[in-house]
């Protein structure tokens, strides 16, 4: 059984996410935000009225080795 850790710190429109795999960060508001994950991927999300949202992943995950 694995263990998990996640802590999020909000500083204005920025959010820093700490996890077992590294540090990620986010920027944006309710309608539009950009997220960078610890493995190097970026997600761009746009939320539209009526419950619809569009999401696009940019980049590939870097290869990581977990011991």
């Amino acid at each position: 059984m694995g263990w998990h850790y996640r802590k999020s710190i909000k500083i204005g429109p920025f959010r820093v996410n700490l996890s077992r795999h590294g540090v990620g960060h986010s920027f944006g508001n309710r309608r539009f935000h950009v997220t960078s994950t610890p493995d190097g991927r970026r997600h761009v999300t746009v939320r539209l009225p009526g419950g619809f949202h569009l999401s696009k992943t940019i980049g590939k995950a870097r290869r990581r080795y977990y011991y």
Side-chain angles (χ1 to χ4, degrees):
M1 180 180 278
W3 63 277
H4 301 279
Y5 174 77
R6 182 164 188 255
K7 176 69 177 169
S8 182
I9 302 167
K10 189 169 182 176
I11 306 167
F14 297 99
R15 183 180 300 264
V16 178
N17 303 306
L18 308 170
S19 73
R20 180 174 72 121
H21 299 292
V23 178
H25 57 278
S26 304
F27 171 77
N29 56 26
R30 285 182 56 188
R31 298 285 181 205
F32 174 80
H33 68 269
V34 178
T35 304
S36 179
T37 62
D39 64 2
R41 289 178 290 171
R42 286 203 166 87
H43 301 283
V44 177
T45 304
V46 177
R47 294 182 185 182
L48 304 172
F52 296 102
H53 70 275
L54 303 170
S55 183
K56 175 73 174 171
T57 301
I58 301 168
K60 294 183 180 178
R62 290 181 299 209
R63 183 175 286 186
R64 289 197 152 197
Y65 298 99
Y66 299 108
Y67 300 102

